[in-house]
């Protein structure tokens, strides 16, 4: 098979609460431009819409987005709405709240608990939905997330949100949230070239408890919001050559190999990169290859 024929179910499935998704999903951040937020030039809108259509054709049924994903001319949520509404029953759209950007694109003060209803309602409006499948609370350096998560739990009780997740957290924050309401997923920065002992522990706990762990910037590495890294270790390059794949596919395959509960949400505005990302779900690394990459991860900062 080629990248063009491999579909998102190649990596298997997992559940976000009662919602079954393919483990390879799609991150909407880069639909808006050449880099995230206002860091690059705005995207071609029709091309971004075509990327979403192609993602659905390739079996993607898990899209990660946020109202603060926008550039000077593009909004990720608006593009998703235009491309995919009316939404199919099996499509799961996950949003996140907490961070805030003003109309000029500058980052503002993080949301207070009583701001979160407005954040949720803005996502609902932009996406054209009457409820959100999953909402992640992005922790913005606060020591406790109880008050913020509790506000989202109230909105869940009202029916505006179906399931809740958390992002950029340590194990203690997961326990704090679970004392308030069920947590179906955790989103933390995690990748081959970045290591945080607290995140490694969250990954382990999520596996034990059957909670989805959803790494972001798994491909981007040091590039982060600016775009995917072009710096790859020699071992990654050698494995990519041996398997006839790209270094980005090796990075994604390694992430997925960390456990059946690990999901991937690589983002791109390029149809060819999209097909490559989805195809990474079919790449199976040997135990020796995983051992080599695990050693790289342990050495990372």
């Amino acid at each position: 098979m080629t990248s063009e024929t491999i579909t998102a179910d190649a990596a298997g499935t997992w559940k976000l609460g009662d919602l079954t998704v393919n483990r390879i999903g799609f991150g909407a951040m880069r639909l808006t431009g050449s880099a995230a937020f206002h860091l690059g030039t705005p995207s071609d809108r029709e091309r971004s819409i075509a990327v979403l259509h192609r993602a659905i054709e390739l079996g993607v049924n898990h899209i990660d987005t946020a109202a603060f994903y926008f550039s000077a001319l593009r909004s990720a949520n608006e593009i998703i709405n235009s491309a995919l509404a009316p939404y199919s029953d099996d499509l799961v759209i996950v949003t996140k709240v907490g961070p805030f950007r003003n109309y000029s694109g500058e980052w503002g003060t993080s949301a207070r608990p009583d701001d979160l209803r407005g954040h949720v309602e803005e996502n609902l409006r932009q996406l054209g939905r009457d409820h959100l499948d999953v909402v992640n609370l992005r922790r913005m350096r606060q020591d406790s997330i109880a008050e913020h998560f509790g506000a989202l739990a109230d909105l869940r009780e009202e029916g505006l949100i179906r399931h809740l997740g958390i992002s950029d957290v340590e194990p203690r924050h997961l326990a704090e949230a679970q004392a308030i309401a069920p947590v179906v997923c955790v989103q933390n920065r995690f990748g081959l070239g970045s290591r945080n002992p607290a995140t490694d522990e969250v990954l382990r706990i999520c596996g034990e408890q059957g909670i989805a762990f959803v790494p972001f910037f798994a491909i981007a590495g040091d590039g982060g919001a600016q775009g995917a890294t072009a710096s790859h270790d020699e071992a990654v390059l050698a494995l990519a050559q041996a398997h006839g794949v790209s270094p980005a596919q090796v990075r994604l395959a390694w992430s997925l190999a960390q456990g059946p509960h690990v999901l991937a949400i690589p983002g791109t505005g390029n149809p060819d990169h999209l097909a490559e990302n989805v195809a990474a779900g079919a790449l199976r690394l040997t135990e020796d290859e995983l051992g080599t990459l695990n050693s790289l991860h342990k050495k990372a900062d």
Side-chain angles (χ1 to χ4, degrees):
M1 294 191 294
T2 67
S3 292
E4 294 299 320
T5 61
I6 297 174
T7 53
D9 59 355
T13 63
W14 194 257
K15 281 195 170 185
L16 298 172
D18 60 348
L19 303 172
T20 300
V21 296
N22 290 323
R23 292 179 63 211
I24 286 277
F26 178 79
M29 180 188 291
R30 303 196 192 283
L31 288 177
T32 64
S34 59
F37 313 123
H38 59 304
L39 301 174
T41 56
S43 63
D44 180 276
R45 186 171 182 277
E46 294 306 313
R47 188 188 196 205
S48 293
I49 287 175
V51 166
L52 285 168
H53 288 163
R54 184 59 178 147
I56 299 302
E57 290 172 359
L58 290 172
V60 170
N61 59 3
H62 170 207
I63 295 177
D64 179 83
T65 187
F68 55 84
Y69 287 175
F70 63 88
S71 65
L73 297 177
R74 302 283 176 260
S75 156
N77 281 355
E78 184 276 327
I79 291 171
I80 291 169
N81 190 341
S82 297
L84 302 181
Y87 303 105
S88 62
D89 291 341
D90 67 341
L91 178 63
V92 176
I93 299 179
V94 178
T95 61
K96 65 187 69 65
V97 296
F100 173 76
R101 295 173 68 211
N102 62 28
Y103 289 112
S104 66
E106 298 304 315
W107 292 103
T109 303
S110 302
R112 301 183 308 271
D114 58 354
D115 292 327
L116 293 178
R117 176 183 290 273
H119 286 213
V120 167
E121 289 179 345
E122 182 63 9
N123 277 284
L124 289 168
R125 184 190 67 79
Q126 292 179 4
L127 291 167
R129 306 198 74 171
D130 61 5
H131 76 279
L132 299 174
D133 296 324
V134 183
V135 173
N136 284 308
L137 172 67
R138 171 66 61 84
R139 184 177 74 96
M140 299 298 289
R141 296 179 295 279
Q142 65 264 41
D143 184 62
S144 169
I145 63 171
E147 195 173 355
H148 288 76
F149 193 77
L152 290 181
D154 290 342
L155 297 177
R156 175 176 173 266
E157 289 297 317
E158 291 182 32
L160 296 182
I161 302 170
R162 189 163 179 175
H163 296 294
L164 297 173
I166 51 179
S167 177
D168 197 21
V169 296
E170 300 174 6
R172 62 191 177 90
H173 300 116
L174 174 57
E176 188 177 38
Q178 288 177 306
I180 298 169
V183 174
V184 303
C185 58
V186 177
Q187 279 192 4
N188 272 19
R189 183 167 189 161
F190 178 82
L192 187 56
S194 62
R195 182 170 182 267
N196 180 319
T199 290
D200 288 350
E201 181 67 4
V202 170
L203 170 66
R204 183 191 66 78
I205 293 170
C206 285
E208 290 179 351
Q209 299 187 13
I211 299 169
F213 180 83
V214 190
F216 60 86
F217 294 155
I219 294 178
D222 293 340
Q226 294 279 5
T229 182
S231 176
H232 300 287
D233 189 274
E234 289 298 324
V236 175
L237 295 173
L239 284 176
Q241 183 175 17
H243 286 275
V245 298
S246 69
Q249 287 174 297
V250 171
R251 287 174 175 266
L252 279 175
W254 176 83
S255 295
L256 290 168
Q258 301 309 301
H261 65 300
V262 177
L263 310 183
I265 48 169
T268 183
N270 182 313
D272 294 333
H273 290 167
L274 169 70
E276 285 186 3
N277 291 342
V278 170
L283 176 58
R284 301 292 185 264
L285 300 171
T286 68
E287 289 299 320
D288 286 345
E289 290 170 338
L290 287 172
T292 297
L293 297 178
N294 288 341
S295 296
L296 288 180
H297 176 66
K298 289 176 182 178
K299 296 175 183 176
D301 295 328

